[in-house]
Amino acid sequence: PGLEEVEALATVDILFRAGIPTTMISVTPERAVVSSHNIVVTCDLTLGEADLDDYDMLVLPGGIPGTPNLKAVDSLMAAVTERVRAGRPVAAICAAPSILAELGMLEGRQATSNPGFVGVLAEHGAQVSQAAVVTDGPVITSRGMGTAIDFGLEIVRHYLGEEAVDDVKAKIVYQG
């Protein structure tokens, strides 16, 4: 609850357009989640119905109070930590990279976040970048709603390469 809906849904839309299977998972017992702007987003599964090990990448949307709500889910935080330590991909946008920083997953890594959270990244040893999207090892971070398309495209690049990114850009009339 409290996710930034554009960060989540623009990313999901880009991935679907690229043909990348995507599952939206609610961290509550309910599939319907209310965003930070009171928009109801219906997820495919709840965390109790999903096995996070079945997914290649975990993507954490930002938003307030969405980011603290994600951080409060111990099983999700354990999965994120284990995944990054194992070199498996995790992506986070806006305030959500602060979760990765606080878990110690950004120490020595280049990363970015919403300007209001770059201090958290720096405090926990991240090399803060002002780039729209930063990939360092298995971690992809991005700044916020205005960079959500670039964030989604970077995930497409991770899986399918530059040609697929160019194809999606053409399909969405990308102007960036």
Side-chain angles (χ1 to χ4, degrees):
L3 70 137
E4 207 298 326
E5 61 278 347
V6 172
E7 294 165 3
L9 297 177
T11 303
V12 168
D13 184 276
I14 294 290
L15 297 176
F16 275 122
R17 288 173 191 266
I20 297 171
T22 305
T23 304
M24 295 191 309
I25 300 172
S26 167
V27 298
T28 74
E30 303 298 323
R31 289 187 183 185
V33 178
V34 178
S35 77
S36 60
H37 299 106
N38 293 315
I39 295 170
V40 177
V41 177
T42 303
C43 296
D44 302 302
L45 298 172
T46 67
L47 191 56
E49 297 170 320
D51 181 350
L52 296 183
D53 287 336
D54 291 344
Y55 297 92
D56 187 64
M57 178 184 283
L58 299 181
V59 179
L60 306 176
I64 299 297
T67 296
N69 286 339
L70 289 175
K71 186 179 170 195
V73 180
D74 293 338
S75 62
L76 177 61
M77 295 304 96
V80 167
T81 300
E82 177 184 313
R83 181 174 291 270
V84 174
R85 286 187 179 150
R88 295 181 67 199
V90 172
I93 185 168
C94 194
S98 68
I99 294 172
L100 301 178
E102 291 173 343
L103 291 172
M105 300 296 104
L106 297 183
E107 188 171 342
R109 291 186 194 275
Q110 291 217 3
T112 194
S113 72
N114 177 280
F117 292 86
V118 294
V120 176
L121 274 61
E123 287 171 19
H124 291 88
Q127 298 169 14
V128 177
S129 170
Q130 300 302 313
V133 182
V134 175
T135 299
D136 190 330
V139 178
I140 300 171
T141 55
S142 189
R143 302 200 68 189
M145 186 193 105
T147 64
I149 291 173
D150 293 317
F151 180 64
L153 291 170
E154 185 63 19
I155 296 170
V156 171
R157 184 176 289 109
H158 170 83
Y159 285 107
L160 302 175
E162 203 62 44
E163 189 174 313
V165 169
D166 291 341
D167 182 57
V168 173
K169 283 180 177 180
K171 287 177 183 174
I172 66 169
V173 193
Y174 181 72
Q175 300 294 303

